[in-house]
Amino acid sequence: LTTVEFENEDSYQGTETILVVEDDPTTRIVITRILREKGYNILEASNGLQALQIFTQYEKPIHLVLTDVVMPGLSGRELYEQILSFNSKARVLFLSGYTDDAIVQHGVFENDIAFLQKPISPIDLIRKVRSVLNQK
């Protein structure tokens, strides 16, 4: 991932709050930089347990949880299930660099689940984030 200029850049701007959950520090830094440059308010967590703590203690709305699927401790799917118990309308976007088989084992592939395969380009990340946030 690298920061690039996007075509029709204004359509990808946002002010929503996104919780980025990624155990790889380099990937987390790049993702958060790209999203911040587009105006999003970013909260960061390096694992599922930390993310759950942030989600339950943050006093303003968190509009999207962008989470890695496979993480030590609490997986992305387990995190999502916990978050749903606090907010049944929470939105999630799963990311993974693992093969489809590994993702299926973690219970992510369902029709209503937003997913991006790593590596992802900055434009694909921004488009998908905006798409998920725009869903009714």
Side-chain angles (χ1 to χ4, degrees):
L1 292 173
T2 58
T3 304
V4 295
E5 292 299 314
F6 302 117
E7 77 277 358
N8 207 0
E9 189 171 330
D10 291 342
S11 65
Y12 300 112
Q13 296 288 341
T15 59
E16 295 92 342
T17 298
I18 300 173
L19 173 56
V20 176
V21 189
E22 171 61 61
D23 59 333
D24 177 66
T26 303
T27 303
R28 189 175 61 251
I29 288 167
V30 173
I31 288 171
T32 59
R33 181 180 311 136
I34 291 167
L35 294 172
R36 279 189 178 114
E37 286 178 0
K38 295 300 168 200
Y40 296 100
N41 178 40
I42 303 300
L43 306 172
E44 298 179 52
S46 60
N47 61 60
L49 291 173
Q50 184 182 32
L52 188 58
Q53 183 178 16
I54 291 169
F55 190 87
T56 58
Q57 294 178 359
Y58 193 70
E59 295 188 8
K60 297 179 182 176
I62 295 176
H63 302 94
L64 176 67
V65 177
L66 191 154
T67 182
D68 194 3
V69 173
V70 180
M71 296 182 292
L74 201 62
S75 73
R77 180 61 189 211
E78 292 166 332
L79 170 63
Y80 180 52
E81 290 170 359
Q82 291 286 324
I83 284 173
L84 285 179
S85 71
F86 292 99
N87 178 355
S88 63
K89 295 181 182 183
R91 295 182 184 171
V92 69
L93 171 54
F94 289 104
L95 304 172
S96 183
Y98 286 88
T99 63
D100 291 351
D101 290 342
I103 302 307
V104 168
Q105 289 176 4
H106 283 82
V108 171
F109 278 136
E110 295 175 12
N111 290 336
D112 60 341
I113 297 295
F115 177 79
L116 274 174
Q117 180 76 38
K118 292 188 237 176
I120 45 178
S121 70
I123 189 65
D124 288 342
L125 173 65
I126 294 299
R127 282 178 180 154
K128 191 67 168 186
V129 163
R130 191 70 259 158
S131 171
V132 173
L133 287 169
N134 287 346
Q135 291 174 357
K136 300 285 181 205

